[in-house]
Amino acid sequence: MAGCLLVLPAVAQESAKKPEALKPAPSPSQAVLEQWNEIGRKLVAIAEDLPEDKYDYKPHPDSRSFVAQLLHVSASMYYFTDVAQGRKVRYGDDPNRDQLKTKAPIVAFLKR
């Protein structure tokens, strides 16, 4: 026990001597972009992981289905990026589900 107590301060001093390479803080726009892309990656992962037969799941009859939520979020992301880039808004409302009937085109829509 006494040996451990004598060695621990020396180990702590050695690790304190090694300076860690600090990354510069990201700019506000870089931070927003990183978060935006991380949210997009998570949405795609969720859409890919959920079985297609669960896409129409609704937690409550008055709520949107899982697929309706995905399409709504995707259309919103398109809306904000279109405005930010000075483009005409592609989706003023959620995309028509008739054009995105199965999991594959929905996931592709999310990835775009």
Side-chain angles (χ1 to χ4, degrees):
M1 178 87 160
C4 289
L5 292 176
L6 292 174
V7 174
L8 285 176
V11 171
Q13 287 177 353
E14 280 298 314
S15 64
K17 290 180 186 176
K18 298 176 186 175
E20 295 289 324
L22 298 177
K23 292 182 180 179
S27 70
S29 59
Q30 288 172 326
V32 168
L33 181 62
E34 286 175 14
Q35 290 176 349
W36 184 274
N37 289 332
E38 181 61 20
I39 291 167
R41 280 190 291 277
K42 287 178 181 180
L43 285 172
V44 169
I46 291 167
E48 288 175 337
D49 288 347
L50 193 71
E52 189 170 0
D53 64 331
K54 304 289 186 199
Y55 265 41
D56 288 314
Y57 168 75
K58 286 183 165 189
H60 187 272
D62 295 337
S63 64
R64 291 182 178 162
S65 65
F66 173 76
V67 70
Q69 289 284 11
L70 282 178
L71 295 176
H72 177 71
V73 169
S74 299
S76 298
M77 292 177 85
Y78 278 113
Y79 179 86
F80 292 118
T81 55
D82 287 345
V83 170
Q85 294 174 346
R87 295 181 181 172
K88 182 182 176 194
V89 175
R90 286 178 264 191
Y91 300 101
D93 200 2
D94 295 347
N96 190 342
R97 180 71 198 276
D98 294 338
Q99 298 169 351
L100 302 165
K101 292 183 180 185
T102 62
K103 181 177 179 174
I106 293 167
V107 171
F109 181 73
L110 274 169
K111 287 181 177 181
R112 282 192 305 262

